[in-house]
């Protein structure tokens, strides 16, 4: 079975550019989570969706961040404009429902110069 | 603010010994408890979960839950160098809308 798929795996961009991260959850999973991980702050939940609907986006740092889930098999996290402090590893995870075991994708390592 | 706390380590354990990792949580309504392992540069992967008080064993791993004292622990028997990683504790509860609340992780080093 395919796990959670994320793309790109690495992204290097310059400050001010738009960045789009993509995620395909495990088929049949109803909940999808976007996390950011840094050495300083650890694993932070940015937003999570249940049945394609955003349930809690209180972790989204600011208006520069937005996330969408147009269907059950695809989600995007967009940063516009990007800033150096956005440099981190961004993980997507999915589960059969909120609170159940979450399965993580390989992550996208973002570097903003 | 619901919290999950772990000692950041590093915890150094000789090969073959038992590694003991601990996690405390603040929400008495917590219902499910998860241990994830994360190798450097990789994503977190589930080791095991526990719902009920007591012990749950899976191979060399044992999770222990004590809801009265609000802690959960992970024991790794016969520690191997390949167990060297960061171990993340996660907890969910009704109050957090069943989201997982994550600890900061404990870095474990198994010395050959």
């Amino acid at each position: 079975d395919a796990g959670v798929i994320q793309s790109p795996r690495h992204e290097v961009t310059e400050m001010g550019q738009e960045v789009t991260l993509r995620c395909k959850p495990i088929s049949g999973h109803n909940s999808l989570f976007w996390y950011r991980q840094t050495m300083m702050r650890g694993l932070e939940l940015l937003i999570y969706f249940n049945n394609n609907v955003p349930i809690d986006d209180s972790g989204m740092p600011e208006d520069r961040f937005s996330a969408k889930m147009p269907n059950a098999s695809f989600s995007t996290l967009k940063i516009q404009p990007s800033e150096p402090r956005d440099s981190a590893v961004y993980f997507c995870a999915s589960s059969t429902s909120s609170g159940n075991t979450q399965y993580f994708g390989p992550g996208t390592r973002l570097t903003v110069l | 603010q619901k919290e999950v706390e772990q000692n950041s380590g590093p915890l150094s354990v000789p090969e073959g010994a038992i590694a003991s990792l601990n996690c405390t949580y603040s929400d008495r309504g917590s219902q499910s408890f998860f241990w994830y392992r994360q190798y450097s540069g990789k994503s977190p992967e589930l080791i095991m979960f526990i719902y009920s008080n007591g012990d749950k064993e899976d191979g060399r791993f044992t999770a222990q839950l004590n809801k009265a004292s609000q802690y959960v622990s992970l024991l790794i028997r016969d520690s191997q160098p390949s167990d060297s990683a960061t171990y993340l504790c996660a907890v969910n509860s009704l109050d957090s809308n069943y989201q997982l609340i994550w600890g900061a992780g404990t870095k474990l080093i198994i010395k050959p």
Side-chain angles (χ1 to χ4, degrees), chain B residues 4-107:
Chain B
V4 174
E5 296 193 355
Q6 299 180 253
N7 188 321
S8 62
L11 174 65
S12 184
V13 174
E15 183 176 358
I18 295 176
S20 179
L21 304 163
N22 299 313
C23 171
T24 59
Y25 58 95
S26 62
D27 181 10
R28 285 196 171 275
S30 298
Q31 300 180 349
S32 304
F33 307 84
F34 302 82
W35 282 102
Y36 283 76
R37 177 178 61 200
Q38 187 175 22
Y39 292 114
S40 179
K42 301 295 185 182
S43 57
E45 56 178 338
L46 178 73
I47 297 175
M48 60 193 309
F49 58 84
I50 186 168
Y51 299 133
S52 304
N53 271 332
D55 295 0
K56 179 181 179 181
E57 187 174 316
D58 184 0
R60 296 187 297 112
F61 298 94
T62 298
Q64 299 177 319
L65 175 59
N66 185 323
K67 288 189 176 182
S69 300
Q70 295 177 243
Y71 81 79
V72 57
S73 60
L74 180 70
L75 302 179
I76 307 174
R77 290 182 300 281
D78 188 23
S79 298
Q80 302 296 310
S82 59
D83 295 325
S84 298
T86 295
Y87 289 79
L88 300 166
C89 173
V91 175
N92 79 8
S93 71
L94 176 60
D95 283 354
S96 63
N97 199 22
Y98 294 112
Q99 292 179 50
L100 292 187
I101 309 299
W102 293 84
T106 298
K107 184 173 183 178

Side-chain angles (χ1 to χ4, degrees), chain A residues 16-51:
Chain A
Q17 296 298 305
E18 177 179 296
V19 175
T20 300
L21 311 181
R22 298 173 176 79
C23 175
K24 177 179 170 56
I26 294 172
S27 177
H29 283 192
N30 298 325
S31 296
L32 182 140
F33 307 82
W34 283 103
Y35 290 93
R36 177 173 67 178
Q37 188 175 43
T38 62
M39 289 293 292
M40 290 295 293
R41 300 176 67 90
L43 195 63
E44 301 175 277
L45 178 66
L46 300 177
I47 185 171
Y48 90 91
F49 295 84
N50 199 38
N51 293 322

Side-chain angles (χ1 to χ4, degrees), chain A residues 18-111:
Chain A
E18 177 179 296
V19 175
T20 300
L21 311 181
R22 298 173 176 79
C23 175
K24 177 179 170 56
I26 294 172
S27 177
H29 283 192
N30 298 325
S31 296
L32 182 140
F33 307 82
W34 283 103
Y35 290 93
R36 177 173 67 178
Q37 188 175 43
T38 62
M39 289 293 292
M40 290 295 293
R41 300 176 67 90
L43 195 63
E44 301 175 277
L45 178 66
L46 300 177
I47 185 171
Y48 90 91
F49 295 84
N50 199 38
N51 293 322
N52 311 340
V53 176
I55 301 301
D56 186 349
D57 65 354
S58 60
M60 296 286 261
E62 49 200 88
D63 292 345
R64 297 186 297 107
F65 286 67
S66 63
K68 293 182 180 180
M69 192 165 186
N71 57 61
S73 58
F74 184 67
S75 177
T76 60
L77 177 68
K78 185 176 294 186
I79 308 172
Q80 167 63 20
S82 58
E83 297 182 3
R85 61 189 167 127
D86 301 329
S87 298
V89 179
Y90 291 80
F91 289 108
C92 175
S94 71
S95 69
T96 53
S97 66
S98 177
N100 287 354
T101 300
Q102 294 182 17
Y103 297 89
F104 284 75
T108 295
R109 182 173 295 276
L110 173 64
T111 302

